[in-house]
Amino acid sequence: MQVGIYIYDGAEVLDFSGPYEVFTTACRVGGVNLDPRLLAARPDVITARGGFRVLPDEVLGAHAPLDVLIVAGGEHEPQLSSPDALSALRAAAEPARIVASVCTGAFLLAGAGLLDGRRVTTHWEDQSALAARFPELTVERDRRWVRDGRYVSSGGISAGIDMSLYLVSELADRALARRTALQMEYRWLEASD
């Protein structure tokens, strides 16, 4: 199963490394194939928040069709101003079984026109801004993650780990998600609120 995690300059480190760790740990402890790949708009080093440098695995749009697309949050405004990035996100999302966002990654999915009329969440500090900028969304507060059809959005940073464990429970089973959390020594909040 192909899991693509979209990153960009200014992405929040735990927004992409947390889900990446969940999926690779699930592969290790459960023998499942949830192959996470870091995707970016260019093949060069990406400088995430705090100066964390990471080399993406593939360029967004130049990869096999994804089963799961996850969009990290962070300094998202430059991405919202890039028609190429938004178009590539739309194309990558089309075949995906699940399209997800961590934190302000929801702004990018909304900017790509993928969340119109849907229930979503984001970091508590950005919920009002998301609702104001995209009034066609129903922004739910006090939720770790929200699922609406094939779209899943989470609150900020560590909520993305909870959401990713939930995705493992959906893609494999809840027992594997619990074993993954145990292996990570992470206290998984299994309910979304």
Side-chain angles (χ1 to χ4, degrees), residues 107-132:
F107 282 80
L108 301 184
L109 292 179
L114 295 169
L115 299 178
D116 292 355
R118 300 212 173 264
R119 296 178 301 108
V120 300
T121 196
T122 190
H123 189 282
W124 61 267
E125 195 172 45
D126 298 292
Q127 290 171 348
S128 295
L130 182 63

Side-chain angles (χ1 to χ4, degrees), residues 9-43:
D9 287 329
E12 185 69 53
V13 175
L14 201 55
D15 283 9
F16 63 87
S17 62
Y20 192 95
E21 183 70 19
V22 167
F23 288 110
T24 58
T25 301
C27 290
R28 196 170 70 245
V29 302
V32 296
N33 183 12
L34 298 171
D35 182 27
R37 320 282 291 151
L38 294 178
L39 310 174
R42 62 180 201 275

Side-chain angles (χ1 to χ4, degrees), residues 133-193:
R133 187 167 196 163
F134 300 101
E136 63 278 9
L137 306 181
T138 301
V139 178
E140 298 196 3
R141 299 172 190 275
D142 300 320
R143 301 283 304 273
R144 295 289 283 173
W145 73 88
V146 171
R147 181 160 193 170
D148 188 339
R150 70 183 186 120
Y151 296 92
V152 186
S153 55
S154 78
I157 308 175
S158 67
I161 296 173
D162 287 330
M163 178 192 73
S164 296
L165 287 163
Y166 163 74
L167 293 177
V168 168
S169 77
E170 290 288 303
L171 297 166
D173 60 51
R174 188 167 293 273
L176 176 57
R178 288 177 177 154
R179 283 197 319 277
T180 300
L182 178 64
Q183 181 66 31
M184 292 173 59
E185 294 197 79
Y186 181 79
R187 290 192 179 126
W188 179 28
L189 300 175
E190 293 187 44
S192 67
D193 51 14

Side-chain angles (χ1 to χ4, degrees), residues 13 45-54:
V13 175
V45 169
I46 299 297
T47 303
R49 279 213 169 136
F52 187 89
R53 296 167 50 91
V54 60

